[in-house]
Amino acid sequence: MIEVLRAGLCDLVMDLGRPGRGALGVPAGGAADQAALAAANGLVGNNEAAAGLEVTLMGPLLRFPRGAVVALTGAPFAATRSSGAALAWNETLVLTAGETLSLERAETGCRCWLAVRGGLTMPPVMGSRSTFLPAGFGGHLGRALHAGDVLPCGTPAGAMRVLRARTPSNAQGAPLQVVAGPQAGQFDDAGLLAFFAGTYRVSAASDRRGLRLRGPAVTHAQSALPSQGVPPGAVQVPPDGQPVILGWDGPVTGGYPVVAAVISADLPRLAQLRPGDAVRFVTVELERARALAVAPWEIEELA
């Protein structure tokens, strides 16, 4: 089990989500960087779909009464164990009974993932343990963690190995690569120029439902548009011309025109954008987007 001694800004139980529920209005959700969570699970000997914690910007203080084998991936946070020693990232870590793990502020980026051997074992909802905040279900009581929460863990299976992960390059700071959206033709030359030549900033109003951007207005024809399916990474443009990149808990349908969609290889980068970060866009052909599919994390056993 894990005891939450101090909650972070937004600590959520997450697995790989609940795909296939869009007809019910429920997005797939799950970890904002599924490869990072899967890598953390691999480091502790779990199935890649086991539930762990997604931590945003400021992390929790956790106690492990019976000890644990854990791993941290994603953005580096200032992190220490009971002794005050710093914790390594992308490696298997062994905590003794009663030890604490303190995650402070993110040093760069926005989110990290914590896996514990055996996984978090709260009851699944619609086939997933992921927290869905907009509807208040899944995860731990459908909400972010609070001080005093106790999280159940599963029983480890198999022999323990000490491992290290090597992360794929994420081209930090480069423009987000996008393909043309289904309504790209509704945008005039001035609107497209603003979108591709402008620099936007991530608004503090952003969350897992969407990244709201502030910058040059993107003009487009105000024709009626029926609702359409929209995936994470779709860039919608509301009437005010300020783009919104739909997130992991965003709506499954939308009625605003979609000017572009972030390619799958760059979706993990969205998880690390924080308020105030600069965002630019560059278009790529669909064939190029397919060729740039996200590379898996490589995991090796330490001697």
Side-chain angles (χ1 to χ4, degrees), residues 4-277:
V4 182
L5 304 183
R6 180 197 73 229
L9 181 65
C10 185
D11 312 316
L12 301 172
V13 175
M14 287 291 168
D15 57 20
L16 299 186
R18 44 181 67 86
R21 309 288 179 170
L24 302 176
V26 179
D33 183 344
Q34 295 194 354
L37 175 60
N41 276 319
L43 289 169
V44 298
N46 291 343
N47 179 284
E48 66 175 14
L53 286 182
E54 179 175 287
V55 177
T56 302
L57 288 175
M58 172 70 78
L61 173 62
L62 306 173
R63 182 173 180 270
F64 298 82
R66 302 168 188 164
V69 177
V70 302
L72 291 156
T73 60
F77 281 54
T80 56
R81 60 199 307 168
S82 301
S83 64
L87 289 171
W89 239 247
N90 304 326
E91 291 188 12
T92 307
L93 306 169
V94 180
L95 304 177
T96 59
E99 271 205 271
T100 60
L101 184 158
S102 179
L103 287 167
E104 303 296 336
R105 291 183 180 274
E107 296 175 339
T108 61
C110 183
R111 292 179 174 88
C112 73
W113 290 268
L114 170 69
V116 58
R117 187 166 167 81
L120 301 178
T121 56
M122 43 282 299
V125 178
M126 297 185 188
S128 169
R129 295 184 170 91
S130 287
T131 311
F132 183 42
L133 286 178
F137 65 75
H140 183 71
L141 304 178
R143 58 164 171 79
L145 300 186
H146 294 173
D149 287 342
V150 177
L151 309 180
C153 298
T155 302
M160 191 195 77
R161 296 180 297 159
V162 179
L163 306 169
R164 177 172 60 203
R166 290 178 290 183
T167 67
S169 172
N170 63 5
Q172 187 173 4
L176 289 171
Q177 300 172 98
V178 298
V179 294
Q183 284 79 46
Q186 289 190 16
F187 293 82
D188 57 29
D189 290 346
L192 293 174
L193 180 63
F195 182 73
F196 286 108
T199 296
Y200 294 88
R201 296 283 174 180
V202 178
S203 165
S206 301
D207 55 24
R208 281 182 51 91
R209 290 173 294 183
L211 295 170
R212 298 180 179 274
L213 306 181
R214 293 294 176 261
V218 181
T219 56
H220 57 86
Q222 299 295 316
S223 58
L225 178 67
S227 289
Q228 60 184 337
V230 283
V235 185
Q236 287 189 326
V237 182
D240 66 0
Q242 298 298 296
V244 179
I245 307 175
L246 296 186
W248 313 272
D249 289 345
V252 297
T253 62
Y256 295 132
V258 175
V259 64
V262 178
I263 69 172
S264 63
D266 280 4
L267 288 177
R269 294 176 54 201
L270 300 181
Q272 301 305 347
L273 291 173
R274 60 167 78 192
D277 279 354

